[in-house]
């Protein structure tokens, strides 16, 4: 079901798959894993299958929901849609044919703008030429520290209308970041009781590179025990830049 979201850079979420597995440091305190555990306890039917306890958890096994493919056709107006806030569309257990189906729905609903985000960047160039890339699809990768900058190179190989980086939770400086071919950058600190600290200089360096390269920059939050604990202000300004939304051509 389409839901309003507290994520500052999007409007609603759409989860044609649910569940995931932790693969890197940025996953250590995964909000979706904790939420899935609560949803299972509440009886939510989409979160009743448990994942591997070593990498996942209660209610968080990777699950494909074919019935969710029909949902965007019922939405009115125009929306900015975060695809799979509770999963990763490019997880190895998501069939390529289902990814193609998701992309087809996106192409069939050009009034909406869809944001897809993955940590499984290595799969992107492997199947990019087997996907149709509609102009209303933005493709992003998560990069939490310099050890995972290789994901940016993978992203550059896909023909998405907008390629973007989500540096959240940002756990270290991104020394060596190359913004060529990148159309948007988001930064943010970790939230929750185990939140790891965010050094403002890490954010300043990314912001300055974005300004120098003309790349829209969005600072989502500083993080802390609660998501909005320390606000969004960076050196006296709130950075909320985004790429231009695609125009919708009607007959």
């Amino acid at each position: 079901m389409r839901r309003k979201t507290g994520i500052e850079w999007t409007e609603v979420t759409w989860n044609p798959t649910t569940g995931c597995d932790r693969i890197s440091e940025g996953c250590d305190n995964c909000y979706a894993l904790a939420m899935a555990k609560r949803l299972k306890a509440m009886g939510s039917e989409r979160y009743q299958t448990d994942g591997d306890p070593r990498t996942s958890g209660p209610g968080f096994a990777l699950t494909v929901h074919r019935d969710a493919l029909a949902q965007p056709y019922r939405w009115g107006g125009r929306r900015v849609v975060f695809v799979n806030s509770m999963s990763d569309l490019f997880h190895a257990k998501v069939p390529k044919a289902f990814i193609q189906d998701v992309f087809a729905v996106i192409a069939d609903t050009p009034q909406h703008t869809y944001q897809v985000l993955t940590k499984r960047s290595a799969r992107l160039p492997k199947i990019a030429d087997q996907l149709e890339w509609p102009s209303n699809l933005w493709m992003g990768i998560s990069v939490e520290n310099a050890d995972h900058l290789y994901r940016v190179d993978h992203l550059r190989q896909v023909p998405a209308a907008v390629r973007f980086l989500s540096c959240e939770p940002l756990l270290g400086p991104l020394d060596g970041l190359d913004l060529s071919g990148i159309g948007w950058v988001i930064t943010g600190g970790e939230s929750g009781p185990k939140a790891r600290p965010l050094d403002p200089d890490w954010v300043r360096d990314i912001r300055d590179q974005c300004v120098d390269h003309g790349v829209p920059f969005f600072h989502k939050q500083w993080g802390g025990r609660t998501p909005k604990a320390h606000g969004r202000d960076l050196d006296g300004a709130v950075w909320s830049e985004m790429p231009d939304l695609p125009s919708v051509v009607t007959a």
Side-chain angles (χ1 to χ4, degrees), residues 68-80:
L69 294 175
Q71 292 172 356
Y73 294 100
R74 299 194 291 266
W75 303 343
R78 299 183 66 184
R79 297 287 185 271
V80 179

Side-chain angles (χ1 to χ4, degrees), residues 200 204 207 217 219 222 230-240:
R204 290 188 181 103
R207 176 203 59 192
F217 173 73
H219 181 55
W222 289 107
H230 301 292
R232 299 182 53 211
D233 184 279
L234 172 61
D235 297 333
V238 174
W239 293 80
S240 299

Side-chain angles (χ1 to χ4, degrees), residues 71-150:
Q71 292 172 356
Y73 294 100
R74 299 194 291 266
W75 303 343
R78 299 183 66 184
R79 297 287 185 271
V80 179
V81 183
F82 179 24
V83 180
N84 277 0
S85 62
M86 295 293 291
S87 187
D88 188 328
L89 187 63
F90 286 86
H91 191 290
K93 293 182 180 179
V94 180
K96 179 184 66 180
F98 189 75
I99 300 175
Q100 291 170 330
D101 290 343
V102 170
F103 274 43
V105 172
I106 293 172
D108 284 346
T109 53
Q111 68 273 29
H112 304 306
T113 299
Y114 294 84
Q115 302 157 321
V116 179
L117 185 61
T118 185
K119 284 188 175 71
R120 273 90 176 163
S121 62
R123 196 178 183 191
L124 289 175
K126 292 178 181 178
I127 65 172
D129 62 351
Q130 301 167 61
L131 300 171
E132 297 292 334
W133 292 83
S135 61
N136 60 327
L137 188 154
W138 299 359
M139 187 70 231
I141 56 97
S142 298
V143 54
E144 61 263 44
N145 57 34
D147 291 341
H148 300 288
L149 284 172
Y150 65 87

Side-chain angles (χ1 to χ4, degrees), residues 142-229:
S142 298
V143 54
E144 61 263 44
N145 57 34
D147 291 341
H148 300 288
L149 284 172
Y150 65 87
R151 294 174 182 163
V152 187
D153 295 325
H154 292 153
L155 179 64
R156 266 189 280 270
Q157 298 178 53
V158 305
V162 173
R163 305 179 194 91
F164 70 96
L165 310 182
S166 175
C167 308
E168 182 192 8
L170 185 59
L171 303 178
L174 296 187
D175 298 333
L177 175 63
D178 177 4
L179 291 178
S180 60
I182 303 303
W184 188 29
V185 177
I186 303 162
T187 57
E190 192 168 46
S191 59
K194 298 180 180 179
R196 289 163 282 186
L198 174 60
D199 188 327
D201 285 340
W202 304 341
V203 180
R204 290 188 181 103
D205 181 63
I206 296 170
R207 176 203 59 192
D208 292 348
Q209 290 189 61
C210 287
V211 171
D212 290 345
H213 291 83
V215 176
F217 173 73
F218 195 112
H219 181 55
K220 177 173 175 274
Q221 64 183 36
W222 289 107
R225 178 168 288 274
T226 58
K228 298 174 175 57

